Amino acid sequence: MKAEELRQATTPAEESARNADGAAVGAEADVTTRLRTKAEWEQESGLMDVVCERGNLWLAYERVVRNKGAAGVDGIGVAEFKDHLKQHWPAIKARLLEGEYMPQPVRRVDIPKPLGGTRTLGIPTLTDRLIQQALHQVLSPIFEGDFSESSYGFRPGRNAHQAVKAAKQYVAEGRRVVVDMDLEKFFDRVNHDLLMEKLSKKIDDGRVLRLIRRYLEAGMMAEGIVSPRTEGTPQGGPLSPLLSNILLTDLDWELERRGHAFCRYADDCNIYVKSQAAGERVMASITRFLGDTLKLTVNAAKSTVAFPWERKFLGFSLTWHKAPRLRIARASLKRLEGKVREVLQGARGRSLTHTIEELNPVLRGWAAYFKLTETKRALEELDGWIRRKLRCILWRQWKRPHTRAKNLMKAGLTEERAWRSACNQRGPWWNSGASHMNQAFPKSFFGCRDGSFQGTRVVRTENCVLCTERTHNAMIYARVTGHDQLHARPHSQRNRQGG
């Protein structure tokens, strides 16, 4: 009714003046006062053309191939991907530029969580991973300027180590209570409409928006059956981390507006306050904000207000001291022990050298991540436990008392002690920690310590009972110093101390 009254109130002079210079002026004025159509978006914005630019696609292809990963529902792996693109890419690119490309369903994979339960991953095809990576490379700079300085997950130039250091600094400043918030099934409950609204504020190309919407709604295939999706952005594709950061930026802004000290890594958010009462208030208010504004639910069973040294953040915890120190969370140590056991399960039929070669990648990756730890007790205990496991493998491989006595004598034990130890009728684990095995295979057999490398261990088999005329070096773990190579000492110079 108001629009009709305004139209009637317009004088003929005003009407003729508005149209005196022709339709072009009226069109320009009209565009500035109304929303653009999808067709106009596509004409005015060429974001999809940037995504499909050759250099951007080549960089995306290199990253997808370098990351390897499993095949999607089409069964095409990295080895066949190049030939597949040669044949099909021109048609795929044409559909992308026309805004008609339809992603394939993702393949459902359930993996166990460290603390029980399963995490559902959606594995896209390699073609869709290529397109998502190309989108990510173009969209990331557009949204990066809006992200908070306290957001560390899946961003260029930021990592988990920076988040852990920031958390330590907050506690050192006197914020000795943490609000540890866990979002319940975050990646499965992202609201599509809310996310698309946020994307449309920065993206003008309708083809890009439609493509992202189709990726969000792509079905999930399990056992040959495709299930539709109306919410969530499954983990497994290159685009999911960026979309999660875009959605949770509102949470960051709200925390900054309130003046809170916090660290967020993807959906893992810790807020640091000075008292238990303040922590309880923040937990309640932020829970309401997440539910009302972002349609997300806080997992009450996993979220709590506690002291930082009672919780873990990105695998680390803190000591209770006034000047806190970083330490490895107990759960992280247990997880590594489980991985080591998996590697060593079949070690009885393999040489110790081969076992160590399989163990090294696990230990190197773990050590590289936890190099920030400032307490060494857990590392020393882990070091001793791994040495004992390796001694246990040797004892099992020898099997018979005669073989055990012979190898113990080769390692330097007297004949009388070697035979007494070989015939003690104790189990392998007991013998692996006994004095005769510690004397025969001391710390120096499995590693040497340089005065400048505290906490460093290197497994070595040097012209001894395990190999002849050869030297094999293999790292158990290299901690805090950044040095991962030490020089072997002659077999005759090994320290006979136990451990």
Side-chain angles (χ1 to χ4, degrees):
M1 191 61 161
K2 289 184 179 180
E4 179 65 14
E5 292 173 354
L6 287 173
R7 187 186 66 79
Q8 293 175 356
T10 304
T11 65
E14 291 172 339
E15 188 76 22
S16 61
R18 188 175 62 184
N19 295 320
D21 294 330
V25 175
E28 290 175 4
D30 188 48
V31 168
T32 62
T33 58
R34 65 175 174 82
L35 295 176
R36 287 169 291 175
T37 65
K38 289 184 178 180
E40 288 170 341
W41 272 352
E42 293 170 10
Q43 291 173 1
E44 296 173 12
S45 173
L47 197 61
M48 181 61 79
D49 300 276
V50 179
V51 172
C52 295
E53 193 268 331
R54 180 179 177 83
N56 185 56
L57 287 170
W58 182 252
L59 180 59
Y61 172 80
E62 289 181 330
R63 291 185 177 178
V64 169
V65 171
R66 185 168 60 247
N67 292 337
K68 298 181 181 179
V73 295
D74 59 0
I76 297 175
V78 174
E80 307 92 18
F81 188 41
K82 186 174 183 180
D83 291 335
H84 173 78
L85 289 179
K86 287 181 179 178
Q87 182 177 357
H88 297 284
W89 180 250
I92 294 172
K93 181 179 179 181
R95 291 201 297 273
L96 285 170
L97 294 174
E98 292 168 1
E100 302 298 328
Y101 178 78
M102 296 296 297
Q104 291 183 271
V106 296
R107 181 168 63 87
R108 175 170 180 160
V109 177
D110 294 322
I111 61 173
K113 290 183 178 180
L115 301 179
T118 59
R119 175 179 286 111
T120 299
L121 302 182
I123 309 300
T125 64
L126 281 172
T127 300
D128 284 325
R129 293 214 288 273
L130 170 67
I131 297 170
Q132 287 192 33
Q133 181 62 41
L135 278 169
H136 184 281
Q137 292 167 184
V138 172
L139 297 181
S140 181
I142 295 175
F143 289 93
E144 181 65 27
D146 293 336
F147 294 157
S148 169
E149 289 296 315
S150 296
S151 171
Y152 296 92
F154 308 109
R155 294 178 58 190
R158 290 177 171 267
N159 54 50
H161 285 174
Q162 294 171 339
V164 170
K165 290 178 181 178
K168 174 189 171 184
Q169 182 62 32
Y170 291 145
V171 176
E173 291 171 355
R175 298 177 177 89
R176 297 175 69 82
V177 174
V178 60
V179 181
D180 188 351
M181 306 194 74
D182 181 87
L183 298 179
E184 187 173 8
K185 296 182 178 178
F186 167 70
F187 286 93
D188 297 331
R189 297 189 175 175
V190 170
N191 186 286
H192 290 177
D193 293 334
L194 191 60
L195 178 57
M196 291 307 301
E197 179 188 353
K198 296 181 181 301
L199 290 170
S200 64
K201 292 177 180 179
K202 304 279 284 188
I203 300 174
D204 286 341
D205 194 326
R207 296 168 297 179
V208 173
L209 292 172
R210 286 200 300 272
L211 180 60
I212 294 176
R213 184 87 187 203
R214 287 167 184 164
Y215 274 123
L216 291 173
E217 297 177 348
M220 181 173 288
M221 179 179 288
E223 299 180 353
I225 300 174
V226 178
S227 304
R229 284 207 319 271
T230 57
E231 63 178 1
T233 169
Q235 301 177 72
L239 201 55
S240 294
L242 175 62
L243 297 180
S244 68
N245 275 334
I246 292 171
L247 183 66
L248 290 175
T249 296
D250 280 359
L251 171 62
D252 299 339
W253 289 347
E254 179 66 15
L255 292 172
E256 289 181 351
R257 185 185 67 81
R258 299 184 184 189
H260 289 310
F262 70 97
C263 297
R264 184 177 67 79
Y265 192 95
D267 60 332
D268 197 352
C269 182
N270 278 9
I271 308 167
Y272 296 88
V273 296
K274 294 186 177 182
S275 69
Q276 183 78 15
E280 297 290 350
R281 289 195 302 271
V282 170
M283 174 69 81
S285 62
I286 295 301
T287 299
R288 286 195 302 270
F289 173 83
L290 288 169
D292 296 341
T293 305
L294 299 181
K295 313 302 179 186
L296 297 173
T297 304
V298 173
N299 189 331
K302 296 183 179 179
S303 303
T304 188
V305 179
F307 296 117
W309 46 90
E310 296 174 350
R311 307 293 294 176
K312 68 180 180 70
F313 180 53
L314 302 178
F316 287 87
S317 188
L318 291 166
T319 64
W320 54 268
H321 303 90
K322 186 174 182 180
R325 290 178 291 173
L326 288 172
R327 63 182 178 87
I328 303 170
R330 187 60 193 165
S332 301
L333 292 169
K334 288 291 185 183
R335 199 175 310 149
L336 175 66
E337 290 174 4
K339 291 181 180 179
V340 170
R341 287 191 176 97
E342 289 179 7
V343 174
L344 299 183
Q345 277 179 350
R348 186 171 179 177
R350 302 193 300 260
S351 69
L352 188 63
T353 301
H354 187 268
T355 300
I356 290 169
E357 289 173 352
E358 289 193 11
L359 194 59
N360 274 340
V362 175
L363 297 173
R364 283 198 187 101
W366 187 88
Y369 181 77
F370 287 104
K371 65 184 179 181
L372 294 183
T373 183
E374 297 170 303
T375 59
K376 64 179 182 179
R377 179 177 177 180
L379 294 171
E380 291 173 342
E381 291 176 353
L382 176 65
D383 195 26
W385 179 76
I386 293 177
R387 285 197 303 271
R388 186 171 180 179
K389 294 289 285 187
L390 295 175
R391 293 188 190 107
C392 186
I393 291 172
L394 290 175
W395 190 264
R396 287 181 181 274
Q397 288 177 342
W398 293 339
K399 295 183 180 179
R400 299 179 180 179
H402 175 77
T403 306
R404 288 169 177 168
K406 180 179 69 175
N407 285 323
L408 288 173
M409 286 187 284
K410 282 184 178 180
L413 270 63
T414 63
E415 182 178 0
E416 185 270 335
R417 188 180 182 193
W419 276 105
R420 187 172 70 249
S421 301
C423 300
N424 62 23
Q425 297 186 350
R426 298 273 191 168
W429 184 245
W430 185 91
N431 278 282
S432 65
S435 60
H436 54 271
M437 284 297 284
N438 276 275
Q439 181 178 339
F441 303 99
K443 288 181 180 180
S444 56
F445 178 82
F446 297 102
C448 61
R449 181 185 295 239
D450 188 310
S452 62
F453 303 125
Q454 292 192 3
T456 303
R457 296 288 186 274
V458 176
V459 171
R460 304 189 185 286
T461 55
E462 308 166 332
N463 296 344
C464 57
V465 295
L466 299 176
C467 56
T468 58
E469 305 304 328
R470 291 183 302 168
T471 299
H472 302 276
N473 297 332
M475 184 191 306
I476 285 283
Y477 66 85
R479 189 182 75 82
V480 303
T481 61
H483 298 275
D484 60 355
Q485 296 186 16
L486 298 177
H487 297 289
R489 292 180 294 173
H491 186 78
S492 59
Q493 296 180 12
R494 288 181 294 160
N495 186 348
R496 292 291 181 179
Q497 72 183 79

